Amino acid sequence: MKDNRLIIVMAILIITFIGFGIIIPVMPEIIQDVDPNGAEIHTGMMLALYSAVSFVLSPIWGTWSDRIGRRPIIIIGLIGFAASFLLFGLSSGNLTLMYISRAMGGLFSGAVASVIVAYVADITPPEKRTRGMGLVGMSIGLGFTIGPGFGGFLSVISLETPFYAAALLGFITFILAVWKLKESLPEEKRKLKTEKKVSRWAAFSGPLKPLYVLAFFVTFTLAGMEATLQFFGMSRFNVTPQQVGLLFFVCGFVGALVQGGFVRRKIKKGEEPKYIAIGLIISALGFFLLLFAHSLLWATVSLAVFGIGNALIRPCVTSLITQKTKVGHGVASGLSSSMDSLGRIAGPLLGSLLFTVNMGLPYLIGGILCIATLVFVVRFKQLDRKEQLLSTE
């Protein structure tokens, strides 16, 4: 039964992130058509707004899911997510409607992303948690693999078509969840409304503190790259939406292979910190390679290297957080999603700003930060070892 639920969750994530990925190659182009002089800044601000709203609401969705169950929250998130894409497609060059659409996307994204992580944590025992999170990462990676390429193809029809397709896929996912998704949190394990509300920051304690900070920096560097990559490609080698789709296709495909193959099968409980460190070094290499990209091929190889590193880091961090947390999985996953959102607030804003100074700066800073973030892996191991020694006394 649990394996069946995991398969359904994977299907929901794949379809959802195909919809999310579809818009990647075309959103900067649409914004540039509306405001050619401020396209980079508007893109960064829209990405940041999406994440700012998600940051505020992700822990609330997580807490609610601890009280009323995961299923209803996920279903609400899916239908709202679909509506946000439809609104953007209908915006007809209206920047205000574009911003409202991105705010709506952020409102409902936390209900999908953070609560599904809690769902998987519910149905996987600790010794299989890394495998479960690897499958989550693989599903997201597959969605990103298929989505951008599909979006680039659909952009030939019109730049708005990918948004309509994303809305349709969101609705299909909503139907799938209503029809097939079973509840993962039994009523006897839910927190009562009369119980004291647990703050998201309750999860920010002990050995997990450096992991949450690490998660922020990983997303911060990734989001800075995502916000500027298309403009970088347009300037360096006249990239088209179809080619941007290809870039993200390769990155997602490589990431999905790593997470679905290596992470799921090879990384055992207790080995996560080592592979997080390896992933950070590989990600840094990908950033540094991107600095020298003057062709589509070089940029593709750089993103593939980066994708390998990122695919090692994310499921291992998520697995450790759900293994070590002292609060409910919903609260822990809500804080994890919030740190992700913080990175996606600051990353696009700073990345866009750095890009206007020098187009290579977001990738230089990203690589340096990946190396510097190794200190948080070391700190986590120190605190975890100390806590284990205290618990045995």
Side-chain angles (χ1 to χ4, degrees):
M1 177 65 177
K2 292 185 177 181
D3 284 342
N4 289 339
R5 286 188 289 180
L6 197 55
I7 290 168
I8 293 164
V9 165
M10 288 173 64
I12 289 171
L13 282 173
I14 290 169
I15 299 171
T16 299
F17 280 90
I18 286 173
F20 189 88
I22 277 175
I23 72 169
I24 288 174
V26 293
M27 194 170 87
E29 294 269 350
I30 291 176
I31 296 170
Q32 190 166 52
D33 286 346
V34 177
D35 185 358
N37 296 322
E40 296 93 341
I41 299 301
H42 279 304
T43 299
M45 288 178 65
M46 284 188 196
L47 292 171
L49 174 64
Y50 175 98
S51 301
V53 176
S54 180
F55 168 72
V56 173
L57 291 174
S58 282
I60 297 175
W61 290 122
T63 301
W64 282 353
S65 79
D66 282 339
R67 289 177 177 171
I68 67 172
R70 317 296 187 203
R71 183 177 181 272
I73 302 298
I74 292 170
I75 287 171
I76 291 168
L78 289 170
I79 195 66
F81 212 41
S84 73
F85 289 127
L86 180 61
L87 179 61
F88 199 104
L90 295 171
S91 63
S92 299
N94 186 314
L95 277 173
T96 301
L97 286 179
M98 290 181 185
Y99 276 105
I100 292 172
S101 163
R102 300 314 290 156
M104 276 183 63
L107 168 65
F108 292 105
S109 68
V112 179
S114 66
V115 178
I116 276 188
V117 168
Y119 187 103
V120 173
D122 291 338
I123 64 175
T124 54
E127 65 273 10
K128 293 184 179 178
R129 190 69 44 75
T130 301
R131 174 182 177 273
M133 296 308 162
L135 289 172
V136 168
M138 183 189 74
S139 303
I140 293 171
L142 278 173
F144 272 122
T145 298
I146 300 167
F150 195 32
F153 173 74
L154 290 174
S155 69
V156 176
I157 302 171
S158 76
L159 291 177
E160 291 78 21
T161 301
F163 288 90
Y164 299 138
L168 176 61
L169 284 173
F171 183 71
I172 291 170
T173 313
F174 164 76
I175 297 297
L176 176 63
V178 170
W179 181 36
K180 285 289 188 181
L181 189 68
K182 306 298 181 184
E183 181 55 62
S184 67
L185 191 65
E187 287 194 25
E188 63 272 14
K189 291 187 177 181
R190 297 177 193 174
K191 298 183 183 297
L192 300 175
K193 289 184 180 179
T194 53
E195 291 181 15
K196 185 179 179 181
K197 182 180 177 181
V198 180
S199 165
R200 77 181 99 177
W201 299 108
F204 191 73
S205 61
L208 292 185
K209 282 184 180 180
L211 278 186
Y212 280 117
V213 178
L214 185 152
F216 163 78
F217 278 109
V218 169
T219 303
F220 172 82
T221 56
L222 170 65
M225 180 189 71
E226 288 175 342
T228 57
L229 183 64
Q230 188 155 352
F231 297 110
F232 177 82
M234 289 163 68
S235 178
R236 283 280 182 93
F237 44 90
N238 296 316
V239 74
T240 66
Q242 293 94 318
Q243 291 171 333
V244 172
L246 175 64
L247 281 171
F248 282 101
F249 174 88
V250 171
C251 185
F253 180 73
V254 170
L257 284 179
V258 172
Q259 291 183 330
F262 187 82
V263 172
R264 184 171 68 89
R265 296 178 181 177
K266 300 295 184 183
I267 300 180
K268 296 178 174 61
K269 187 179 178 182
E271 293 182 336
E272 294 93 345
K274 177 177 73 174
Y275 286 101
I276 292 171
I278 293 170
L280 287 168
I281 294 168
I282 295 173
S283 294
L285 177 61
F287 272 123
F288 294 143
L289 285 172
L290 193 56
L291 284 170
F292 302 99
H294 287 274
S295 69
L296 180 64
L297 178 61
W298 188 281
T300 302
V301 171
S302 304
L303 276 188
V305 172
F306 175 83
I308 291 169
N310 213 247
L312 287 172
I313 299 166
R314 288 181 172 275
C316 290
V317 170
T318 305
S319 176
L320 284 174
I321 286 172
T322 56
Q323 286 178 45
K324 305 285 183 179
T325 186
K326 300 293 193 297
V327 297
H329 287 146
V331 174
S333 299
L335 177 58
S336 182
S337 185
S338 292
M339 298 304 284
D340 188 71
S341 296
L342 273 178
R344 290 189 178 278
I345 295 167
L349 291 175
L350 185 60
S352 299
L353 182 62
L354 290 172
F355 186 87
T356 60
V357 177
N358 182 290
M359 70 175 68
L361 267 181
Y363 318 122
L364 176 63
I365 299 297
I368 292 170
L369 283 175
C370 283
I371 298 298
T373 306
L374 287 167
V375 70
F376 295 112
V377 182
V378 175
R379 185 58 179 157
F380 163 75
K381 291 183 72 174
Q382 290 173 341
L383 291 172
D384 189 48
R385 194 177 299 116
K386 181 179 177 181
E387 188 172 87
Q388 288 178 10
L389 287 172
L390 288 172
S391 67
T392 57
E393 289 179 0

